[in-house]
Amino acid sequence: MRHIPPRDLPRTDRRTAFSARLRPRAGLWAAAGAVALGFLIALEFAARRYGLPGPITNQVREVVAAPKSGGLLYAAMALTMVVLTWRQRFIAVGAAIGIDIAFLLVRWAVGAETTGGHPFGNGALWVILGCAVIAVTRRTGRERVLLLKGVGLGLLLMAGRKTGDTWLLITSKTRPAVLDQYVATADHALGDPSWLVGRVITATGPIGFNFLDTVYGQLAVAAVVVALYQLRGVAAERRFPGHHLVRTFLVIGLIGPAFYMIFPVVGPIFAYGTGTEYWAPISLWSPDIPSSGHWAVADLWPQTPPPVTTPHPMPFDGITPRNCMPSLHTAWAVAIFIHSRKGPRVLRYAGTFWLIATLTATLGFGYHYGVDLISGVVFALTIEAALRSFDRGWDRSGIRLVAYGTTVFAALLVSYRFLPLTMAEHPWVSGPLLMLAMTSVVYGYVRTTAAWEPRAAPARQPEPQPEPI
């Protein structure tokens, strides 16, 4: 029997064929949603085990209580609004601001404080939930699905933040010993960059520190700006693009913390310094965290690099997150940089700035070692390659790139754990090898993805005309 293309079928049969193509994707989304919900419930129970609220409880509480990050809630609302018309967006923003003003007046009237939170953001969450109610009660068919996707996008951003906070709590409670001595020893191969950049930022004083601290803390907002550009056509086209930054951002945040459990590291400012006390005198937003200085090997950061000795696991407190390996801030900044490349010039400049500033802050604040950043770059490119391969259909080039990135990432972690002393004793060999390994993944990603891009059709040349006689 001859195969008839869908476009040649009658309208009823075309609709049936379209529905058949959607069924596997709908089933995949349903399965992903079920897994995500199960993961959140598991984290909720894990947090309750330690006497603290989990991600679901914290998110529900922000419906009324002062949110931890009002800016993140408004960024989540902005993602939801990509499916709305301009008129609906103005109504949504006005409603969010009005609700926030009402909450502010009520808190002022009853004398409620917003300690540890922001005085705004509840309105944005109410608008997102209101869109979900409208989708279920007032929309049908594709319009309902589109609006629910917008709501899901906003809720996923918020859930990612809450999930990350719970993950960090679990790492501090379940990993009493950290491997900072191994990573610090391996970092000698790179010349101890955290100590070097730490001294530079210290020399810039409060201006340099607080500027970078603002950039470092608003990474999610930067991601939303790039995502909004990528999703700018959703309202008109009534569909989402196949691949965008939010997907990469969320997958990095979902998979990355698993390696915190495998390779727990607290960072040089904690393992070799006084912790958050070091920046407290000049920080505008000094966190109220108990001192961790008595857990450190010695007060060395950032003045004196640690000596090269045989590393050992070391005990640490039950509060400081073990969130260094790999550097997810680096991975997220790399993802923002990649996805900003197809934007206008100002967006490309912003993506480059955010990458450089984030790398500087992660090292200079003492939150990460240099080898953390290398593994973070490889991790981000591997995740991005896997998502793009999934979207376009797995082929040999995609499988090869993902397999290579995974192999390099695993090799990096194994070398940090079992060969740090060898790396430190031969820095002129191991340092270039580390950079070469990262560069090879970057080169492989650029070369492979460039071949995936559609080639522009050559411009048609005007046909030659006969010369007049």
Side-chain angles (χ1 to χ4, degrees):
M1 182 177 178
R2 185 172 62 90
H3 173 71
I4 302 177
R7 63 177 178 274
D8 296 332
L9 292 171
R11 178 169 305 204
T12 304
D13 294 337
R14 244 190 346 252
R15 191 180 297 117
T16 304
F18 179 77
S19 300
R21 289 197 305 270
L22 283 182
R23 286 191 200 107
R25 186 174 291 272
L28 181 63
W29 278 108
V35 171
L37 180 60
F39 181 67
L40 287 173
I41 294 174
L43 284 181
E44 185 74 25
F45 279 106
R48 294 284 181 177
R49 181 180 178 184
Y50 297 105
L52 295 171
I56 299 177
T57 302
N58 284 330
Q59 192 62 75
V60 171
R61 181 178 296 172
E62 290 187 351
V63 173
V64 177
K68 183 176 180 180
S69 176
L72 183 68
L73 290 177
Y74 269 93
M77 185 183 74
L79 286 179
T80 299
M81 291 193 303
V82 298
V83 303
L84 305 179
T85 63
W86 279 108
R87 178 177 176 272
Q88 292 168 340
R89 291 170 185 172
F90 284 124
I91 294 174
V93 172
I97 295 175
I99 294 171
D100 271 337
I101 292 175
F103 269 92
L104 187 63
L105 292 176
V106 170
R107 291 191 184 110
W108 174 77
V110 301
E113 298 182 355
T114 58
T115 304
H118 289 171
F120 64 92
N122 302 94
L125 180 55
W126 277 61
V127 166
I128 295 174
L129 297 177
C131 288
V133 173
I134 292 173
V136 174
T137 60
R138 303 291 297 275
R139 297 287 188 270
T140 59
R142 291 186 178 182
E143 289 300 312
R144 172 185 288 176
V145 172
L146 185 67
L147 186 52
L148 286 177
K149 282 184 177 181
V151 171
L153 205 60
L155 292 178
L156 279 174
L157 182 64
M158 295 185 292
R161 172 65 178 268
K162 301 303 179 186
T163 300
D165 293 342
T166 304
W167 258 117
L168 297 184
L169 166 69
I170 293 175
T171 62
S172 63
K173 299 298 183 183
T174 61
R175 293 297 180 266
V178 297
L179 304 178
D180 280 77
Q181 292 188 27
Y182 293 85
V183 183
T185 302
D187 219 37
H188 283 293
L190 301 175
D192 302 300
S194 180
W195 271 257
L196 174 61
V197 183
R199 290 194 296 270
V200 173
I201 294 182
T202 301
T204 64
I207 295 177
F209 170 80
N210 287 295
F211 172 75
L212 286 176
D213 193 33
T214 302
V215 174
Y216 187 83
Q218 300 303 320
L219 190 66
V221 177
V224 169
V225 172
V226 177
L228 289 177
Y229 174 79
Q230 292 181 320
L231 303 176
R232 67 194 183 281
V234 172
E237 300 173 2
R238 312 311 294 166
R239 65 180 181 86
F240 279 84
H243 179 56
H244 49 82
L245 175 60
V246 179
R247 295 175 64 191
T248 306
F249 215 77
L250 292 174
V251 173
I252 288 175
L254 179 65
I255 298 178
F259 295 99
Y260 296 166
M261 309 291 286
I262 299 172
F263 209 118
V265 182
V266 293
I269 195 173
F270 297 102
Y272 294 94
T274 57
T276 55
E277 293 180 3
Y278 183 84
W279 299 114
I282 62 174
S283 175
L284 296 178
W285 302 281
S286 181
D288 185 17
I289 300 177
S291 174
S292 61
H294 58 283
W295 291 93
V297 176
D299 185 5
L300 301 176
W301 190 90
Q303 289 79 19
T304 308
V308 177
T309 58
T310 303
H312 301 281
M314 53 183 285
F316 214 79
D317 64 25
I319 300 174
T320 306
R322 281 66 164 148
N323 62 339
C324 285
M325 184 61 71
S327 169
L328 293 196
H329 257 80
T330 297
W332 283 321
V334 169
I336 291 173
F337 175 80
I338 292 173
H339 283 265
S340 66
R341 293 305 89 195
K342 293 184 179 180
R345 181 178 299 178
V346 63
L347 197 64
R348 297 197 302 270
Y349 285 167
T352 303
F353 162 76
W354 226 274
L355 176 62
I356 295 173
T358 301
L359 296 181
T360 303
T362 53
L363 285 174
F365 291 169
Y367 296 158
H368 287 280
Y369 303 89
V371 292
D372 302 344
L373 274 60
I374 289 178
S375 58
V377 171
V378 174
F379 181 73
L381 293 176
T382 305
I383 293 294
E384 178 70 15
L387 289 174
R388 292 194 61 178
S389 296
F390 174 80
D391 184 60
R392 66 185 299 273
W394 290 96
D395 58 9
R396 181 177 298 179
S397 62
I399 295 174
R400 184 168 57 242
L401 177 59
V402 174
Y404 180 70
T406 303
T407 302
V408 172
F409 180 74
L412 289 174
L413 265 61
V414 170
S415 64
Y416 301 160
R417 179 62 177 83
F418 297 104
L419 300 174
L421 194 58
T422 303
M423 296 168 65
E425 292 174 344
H426 304 87
W428 293 106
V429 176
S430 54
L433 283 177
L434 288 175
M435 298 302 297
L436 181 62
M438 181 187 71
T439 304
S440 67
V441 176
V442 174
Y443 174 76
Y445 176 85
V446 172
R447 182 177 180 180
T448 303
T449 55
W452 292 347
E453 297 296 333
R455 296 182 180 180
R460 294 186 61 183
Q461 299 293 332
E463 295 183 3
Q465 299 295 329
E467 297 182 2
I469 299 176

